Amino acid sequence: MKITVNNLRKTYDGKQVLSVDSLEVKKGCITGIIGPNGSGKSTLMRLISGIEKADSGTVAFEDKKASEETWKGITLVFQKPYLINTTVYENIAYPLKLRGAGKDEISRRVETMLELLELGSIRHRNARTLSGGEGQKAALARAMVFEPQLLLLDEPTANIDPKSIYIMEKAIRHINEKVGATVLLVTHNVRQLKRLCSYGIFMNNGSVEIQGAVGSLFEDLDNTPMGSFISEEFII
Amino acid sequence: MEYIMEGFKEAFKLLLSFDSEVYGIFLLTLYVTLMSTVISTIIAVPLGIMIGLKKFKMKKALIRLLYTLMSMPPVIAGLIVYLILSRRGPLGELQLLFTPAAMIIAQVTLVTPIITGIVYNSTRDRGESIRQLAHTMGANKKQAFALLIFELRADLLGAIVSGFGRAISEVGAVMLVGGNIKGHTRVMTTSIAMLQSMGDYSQAIAIGIVLLLISFGVNSILYHSQQVN
Ligand SMILES: Nc1ncnc2c1ncn2[C@@H]1O[C@H](COP(=O)(O)OP(=O)(O)O)[C@@H](O)[C@H]1O
Ligand SMILES: [Mg+2]
């Protein structure tokens, strides 16, 4: 699902935190957004997902304005996902139940997700008792289970262990390659961007400074915001 | 000391003899309290959720008023309803004063703000993230509301049980608008107050024991609902 953003603005408490003149996200690809803290990455994701309204500007999917129908094919996994107060299994089954799927289909799809994200052993645990990494994986499984056309991920692998990061990246590639979902993810990790994404977006101070093939983000780094962002990234 | 022991003995005898006057009081109390709790719940749950989720003008003022009403003394609620229902009041023609209906109205006035306030608090804390999740999952409005109710289920139960507890234990409001008429509007709290003033301790103790048992049951439910969270 192609995303086209035009003149998108958002202000909080009189302070403009987002101002994106023009942005295009390619259909069927994995695109990564990087940028310093507070540069508006999460705000952009919320506006694209429709959970929040922009002050002005437009977001279009396949050149159409978003509608009830479009939302059904778009999902966002939050930086801190909200898990329903029930089992891991029921959390993952939830979007399927909303769509009126039958028992057999639910069980088949949820099993596939439990296996893909290696959550089988905690399927009966209450989702509120999960660790950070387990919770992120459960939220990703829940977002992928209904095979959305567009998957928005806000720092899905922040603060989790390498094994879980590996599993989640494998799952993200799976839904992109096997299901054809367009993936737009925010990451603070340049190596993850290079590993996972074919296109990249660099945000700074609420605007998109660079967009294009991932390689293009790493050209002309001298004395640019991207250059200093990367050098700071490698200090840690 | 003696008369207290004597009172307890008499109280148990009274309870075991299934005295029709005493049991009539229990039944009327349960009827009035359950009715007022149900009506308050129907008003307060959607209202509390709406105030918690929506942004509107005067919201702050409304919440301050709500908090004030939550701690409204029962006699005040009773007085307001009394004035409205009294013969010269705006709803005097309905002739509801000194009927169980008047008692239900007074308790609804008292309990609705309590349930609304508690529901508002939990919706304010968690409602927005639940609404956002529902949206990202592709839920329609009805499905989003169902998820909200499911997620707040323990809080809602707690709010309703608190409302019930408040209704069954108050004297002032039902005394003013019900009048404690024997066989008609006499409930547990008003009869305890009356029996005490008459020095008839055994019946007061008997009713008191049952009221305590109900309170215990209500608080057990409340405790368990908090455990679920
Ligand atoms: N709900 C909000 N209310 C007020 N300010 C906000 C809100 N959400 C984000 N901001 C502000 O907007 C700016 C961008 O935030 P965000 O989009 O979360 O950045 P990022 O995800 O890139 O770290 C920050 O300065 C942040 O403090
Ligand atoms: Mg962020």
Side-chain angles (χ1 to χ4, degrees):
Chain A
M1 192 182 250
K2 183 177 86 173
I3 315 173
T4 317
V5 173
N6 272 306
N7 301 314
L8 202 63
R9 310 268 183 276
K10 183 73 187 177
T11 303
Y12 288 121
D13 314 320
K15 189 179 145 233
Q16 186 166 77
V17 299
L18 193 82
S19 165
V20 175
D21 296 333
S22 151
L23 175 69
E24 199 168 302
V25 176
K26 285 218 169 13
K27 180 180 180 156
C29 299
I30 304 181
T31 302
I33 306 180
I34 52 169
N37 284 334
S39 57
K41 305 181 296 294
S42 295
T43 306
L44 177 62
M45 296 294 264
R46 287 199 301 272
L47 296 183
I48 293 176
S49 78
I51 58 171
E52 234 176 273
K53 294 231 167 9
D55 301 336
S56 63
T58 56
V59 178
F61 303 96
E62 297 294 327
D63 299 320
K64 284 194 295 277
K65 234 187 119 210
S67 64
E68 280 291 323
E69 266 325 289
T70 355
W71 296 138
K72 281 219 179 319
I74 299 172
T75 193
L76 164 67
V77 178
F78 297 94
Q79 217 165 334
K80 294 196 182 80
Y82 184 97
L83 292 162
I84 305 168
N85 189 359
T86 177
T87 61
V88 171
Y89 187 97
E90 287 299 325
N91 264 276
I92 302 174
Y94 178 67
L96 298 174
K97 287 189 172 163
L98 288 182
R99 287 163 179 75
K103 238 191 162 146
D104 292 343
E105 189 191 351
I106 291 179
S107 141
R108 186 169 49 78
R109 284 177 180 253
V110 175
E111 291 302 333
T112 308
M113 283 301 132
L114 289 171
E115 197 176 324
L116 185 63
L117 285 148
E118 301 185 18
L119 293 167
S121 61
I122 54 166
R123 62 201 294 151
H124 297 305
R125 282 256 299 278
N126 184 300
R128 291 285 175 77
T129 67
L130 302 181
S131 71
E134 291 166 339
Q136 288 285 4
K137 281 189 279 184
L140 182 62
R142 185 176 64 184
M144 287 175 37
V145 74
F146 66 99
E147 304 191 340
Q149 290 164 274
L150 174 61
L151 180 60
L152 304 163
L153 305 170
D154 194 352
E155 303 207 18
T157 61
N159 305 317
I160 69 176
D161 61 277
K163 174 87 192 298
S164 297
I165 294 180
Y166 172 78
I167 293 169
M168 289 178 78
E169 289 187 356
K170 187 183 67 179
I172 294 167
R173 271 192 209 97
H174 170 91
I175 194 169
N176 173 247
E177 286 164 11
K178 298 282 172 4
V179 183
T182 305
V183 179
L184 178 62
L185 89 149
V186 173
T187 175
H188 55 282
N189 185 323
V190 174
R191 275 156 300 194
Q192 182 173 57
L193 178 81
K194 287 180 167 169
R195 273 200 304 272
L196 211 52
C197 308
S198 39
Y199 290 88
I201 294 166
F202 175 65
M203 289 187 69
N204 196 25
N205 285 327
S207 48
V208 170
E209 298 223 337
I210 314 174
Q211 52 179 314
V214 159
S216 66
L217 267 66
F218 300 94
E219 292 163 6
D220 299 326
L221 292 179
D222 291 341
N223 299 318
T224 61
M226 176 69 187
S228 60
F229 173 71
I230 292 192
S231 55
E232 281 154 24
E233 164 87 6
F234 282 106
I235 294 170
I236 337 167
Chain B
M1 213 41 221
E2 192 90 331
Y3 75 98
I4 297 178
M5 293 315 295
E6 208 45 45
F8 269 96
K9 236 188 264 166
E10 285 297 310
F12 281 109
K13 261 192 218 153
L14 207 57
L15 288 175
L16 293 174
S17 70
F18 294 97
D19 180 277
S20 68
E21 191 191 333
V22 174
Y23 278 80
I25 291 173
F26 294 163
L27 284 180
L28 180 69
T29 307
L30 284 177
Y31 169 72
V32 168
T33 314
L34 285 173
M35 283 300 283
S36 58
T37 309
V38 168
I39 296 169
S40 300
T41 299
I42 292 169
I43 302 170
V45 170
L47 190 63
I49 288 176
M50 200 205 70
I51 301 173
L53 281 181
K54 298 255 189 283
K55 284 182 190 153
F56 51 89
K57 268 192 217 162
M58 306 285 286
K59 180 166 170 169
K60 277 195 179 143
L62 180 71
I63 288 159
R64 212 169 306 154
L65 174 71
L66 183 61
Y67 284 154
T68 308
L69 293 179
M70 277 177 90
S71 52
M72 170 169 54
V75 278
I76 305 287
L79 182 65
I80 294 167
V81 174
Y82 179 90
L83 292 173
I84 291 170
L85 295 182
S86 65
R87 249 190 311 143
R88 287 180 298 161
L91 296 181
E93 277 174 34
L94 299 177
Q95 301 198 326
L96 289 176
L97 207 56
F98 307 127
T99 65
M103 297 156 78
I104 293 171
I105 295 171
Q107 289 193 345
V108 167
T109 310
L110 192 67
V111 168
T112 301
I114 294 174
I115 302 182
T116 308
I118 302 176
V119 172
Y120 158 72
N121 268 327
S122 23
T123 311
R124 179 199 54 199
D125 294 344
R126 290 161 55 209
E128 181 56 19
S129 7
I130 298 167
R131 187 195 68 75
Q132 292 186 354
L133 173 71
H135 178 98
T136 63
M137 293 281 102
N140 60 31
K141 281 212 166 115
K142 231 192 223 165
Q143 292 170 327
F145 187 73
L147 180 67
L148 193 70
I149 298 289
F150 180 78
E151 281 300 277
L152 298 179
R153 60 196 183 277
D155 301 52
L156 296 182
L157 181 66
I160 294 165
V161 168
S162 302
F164 178 85
R166 172 77 156 175
I168 203 166
S169 61
E170 71 83 26
V171 207
V174 285
M175 185 74 104
L176 254 68
V177 302
N180 191 35
I181 301 164
K182 182 176 171 178
H184 184 47
T185 60
R186 182 164 298 169
V187 288
M188 294 166 82
T189 50
T190 55
S191 55
I192 291 176
M194 180 200 67
L195 292 164
Q196 181 272 339
S197 68
M198 291 176 5
D200 184 351
Y201 300 119
S202 58
Q203 202 177 334
I205 291 170
I207 296 172
I209 289 169
V210 174
L211 196 52
L212 261 178
L213 285 175
I214 293 174
S215 283
F216 177 77
V218 163
N219 280 298
S220 307
I221 297 174
L222 201 58
Y223 178 78
H224 280 288
S225 77
Q226 300 315 317
Q227 298 298 299
V228 176
N229 253 347

